[in-house]
Amino acid sequence: MNLSTNYMGLELKSPIIIGSSNLSLHTDNSKRYADAGAGAIVLKSLFEEQIVADRQKLLNQEDMYFWYPEAMNFIDDASKEHGVDNYLKLIEDTKKAVSIPVIASINCVSAKEWPAFASKIKDAGADAIELNIGIPANELNVSANTISETYIEILKSVKREVDLPISVKMGYHFNNIVRMSFKLKSNGADALVLFNRYYRPDIDINNLTITKDSVYSSENEITIALRWLALIHHQFDCDLAASTGIHSYEGVVKSILTGAKAAQLCSTIYKHGAPVVSTIISELQNWMREHNFSNIEDFRGKLAKEPEYKKSFERLQFMRKSVGDIA
Ligand SMILES: Cc1cc2nc3c(=O)[nH]c(=O)nc-3n(C[C@H](O)[C@H](O)[C@H](O)COP(=O)(O)O)c2cc1C
């Protein structure tokens, strides 16, 4: 079985990508995932704010903060704790530890000041950058259009600064995800990651407090990505990676059948460690053998390209509508 896949111009030996999380802050972990057969690793996101703080510290130290020493201390602390330099070192160390592609990740909400930093990520050895863009769409006076334009502006600014493959990891809070994905692709995105799983507040009704849902996904959450992978793959070509709810080889197979070139894993790695990667890979190979598929492209998009599949993924209502039939 040939599990290799070309994702955003990178040759991956398998479609399993280790999704961005704190796990990749330790190069020992990354080495374990690579040894278990992962095709690539996305590092923990560096935050736009960290980059801006670091730049301001270097550029404007004297004139900007002399009247506000506490700000300088804050920035110093932030940089020491989660430093930009540490991140560049993490890229270098991970590259030394593994022979698979290493994708850096930036968590960002604007194109202000920070994109120039992208070239340092390249210099540190990253093979690509994943833009983890998460702009909350919840203010009365901010239009959907303004938000989508910011996504495009961020992407274009980074593309101008650095010659590396750039993917966009997004959420599903757009009024037309297919069109938004197409705009990202048309403006230079080399791949899209569908979808990030954001923080989810919940309520404790006994203590009347706000709590949070589990940080880990459950397996049935995969259906959100499957719908949009299929609807995008049906309408235009784009390198897609599935994310959220992929816990087993079944999730990887489903993602590829709906058009993904790769599947990102996070929660299942937290729960089961690196061995889950080798289990998924051998079960994926067994499934391919049973179905007479010898490589990933043999079945990629098989349940998305035909018009009848599009209809199934478009459907919103449980009740089927037909003339003279109300059920
Ligand atoms: C503890 C934790 C930390 C995470 N940190 C990041 C991060 O820094 N950047 C990012 O893009 N996604 C981050 N994620 C999201 C994951 O990469 C992934 O998109 C999400 O967990 C859904 O995938 P899963 O169902 O395989 O867990 C984090 C997830 C967890 C559980």
Side-chain angles (χ1 to χ4, degrees):
M1 295 299 113
N2 177 1
L3 294 190
S4 67
T5 183
N6 185 301
Y7 171 67
M8 62 193 296
L10 305 173
E11 283 300 332
L12 311 190
K13 68 180 179 191
S14 87
I16 308 299
I17 297 180
I18 307 304
S20 172
S21 85
N22 299 30
L23 293 171
S24 64
L25 290 174
H26 306 280
T27 46
D28 289 355
N29 285 340
S30 297
K31 189 163 164 20
R32 278 186 209 109
Y33 309 142
D35 291 345
I41 293 175
V42 187
L43 298 178
K44 169 80 185 156
S45 300
L46 180 66
F47 280 72
E48 169 186 334
E49 291 88 334
Q50 293 172 251
I51 302 170
V52 172
D54 201 71
R55 275 173 62 81
Q56 287 176 348
K57 187 180 82 172
L58 292 174
L59 299 176
N60 307 328
Q61 247 188 89
E62 284 172 12
D63 47 349
M64 202 167 164
Y65 291 111
F66 71 96
W67 45 267
Y68 185 22
E70 298 93 318
M72 199 62 234
N73 293 342
F74 170 78
I75 285 166
D76 265 346
D77 289 349
S79 311
K80 268 183 215 128
E81 211 181 317
H82 316 281
V84 164
D85 291 345
N86 287 350
Y87 196 78
L88 297 173
K89 172 119 179 26
L90 177 69
I91 297 173
E92 278 170 25
D93 291 347
T94 312
K95 278 298 290 179
K96 277 185 212 143
V98 301
S99 56
I100 58 175
V102 173
I103 304 173
S105 167
I106 309 285
N107 178 311
C108 50
V109 293
S110 85
K112 289 183 202 136
E113 288 190 59
W114 74 266
F117 175 79
S119 61
K120 290 202 177 167
I121 287 181
K122 180 177 179 182
D123 297 344
D127 297 284
I129 299 177
E130 185 175 278
L131 297 175
N132 165 17
I133 311 180
I135 306 175
N138 51 20
E139 291 298 333
L140 192 59
N141 57 357
V142 179
S143 74
N145 202 36
T146 305
I147 292 173
S148 353
E149 285 310 316
T150 308
Y151 274 74
I152 305 295
E153 203 188 321
I154 294 172
L155 172 64
K156 282 165 66 177
S157 316
V158 176
K159 293 284 297 185
R160 268 197 301 273
E161 294 290 343
V162 71
D163 177 23
L164 274 184
I166 308 290
S167 60
V168 176
K169 184 179 188 184
M170 53 202 267
Y172 48 87
H173 306 99
F174 293 96
N175 44 21
N176 183 344
I177 296 170
V178 177
R179 188 169 167 75
M180 183 65 204
S181 303
F182 184 71
K183 278 174 80 177
L184 287 165
K185 152 96 190 179
S186 317
N187 281 284
D190 297 284
L192 301 176
V193 183
L194 310 179
F195 294 107
N196 205 342
R197 184 178 189 274
Y198 297 124
Y199 181 87
R200 300 165 176 221
D202 197 356
I203 301 275
D204 175 340
I205 59 167
N206 295 317
N207 293 311
L208 299 187
T209 50
I210 298 171
T211 58
K212 63 173 174 9
D213 188 13
S214 166
V215 290
Y216 303 124
S217 66
S218 54
E219 208 161 351
N220 60 9
E221 291 178 46
I222 192 179
T223 52
I224 300 173
L226 296 181
R227 178 195 292 265
W228 298 107
L229 288 166
L231 291 174
I232 291 170
H233 185 69
H234 184 87
Q235 295 176 75
F236 63 95
D237 283 333
C238 181
D239 282 14
L240 301 170
S243 167
T244 296
I246 303 164
H247 290 215
S248 63
Y249 84 95
E250 284 101 329
V252 177
V253 169
K254 290 177 189 181
S255 306
I256 298 171
L257 283 170
T258 46
K261 287 193 157 186
Q264 296 201 355
L265 310 182
C266 180
S267 295
T268 193
I269 310 272
Y270 267 99
K271 288 183 186 163
H272 306 293
V276 78
V277 175
S278 33
T279 306
I280 288 178
I281 285 179
S282 73
E283 290 176 342
L284 172 63
Q285 283 173 322
N286 290 343
W287 179 89
M288 286 170 64
R289 204 169 291 120
E290 274 166 30
H291 290 81
N292 288 322
F293 296 130
S294 54
N295 61 59
I296 299 294
E297 285 302 312
D298 284 351
F299 64 105
R300 188 169 73 84
K302 214 172 168 47
L303 292 187
K305 273 288 179 206
E306 302 302 324
E308 80 243 39
Y309 300 134
K310 178 166 183 263
K311 277 200 195 116
S312 306
F313 284 109
E314 272 171 351
R315 186 169 168 189
L316 293 179
Q317 309 297 346
F318 284 102
M319 273 199 294
R320 195 187 288 277
K321 271 189 244 156
S322 63
V323 180
D325 179 9
I326 54 156

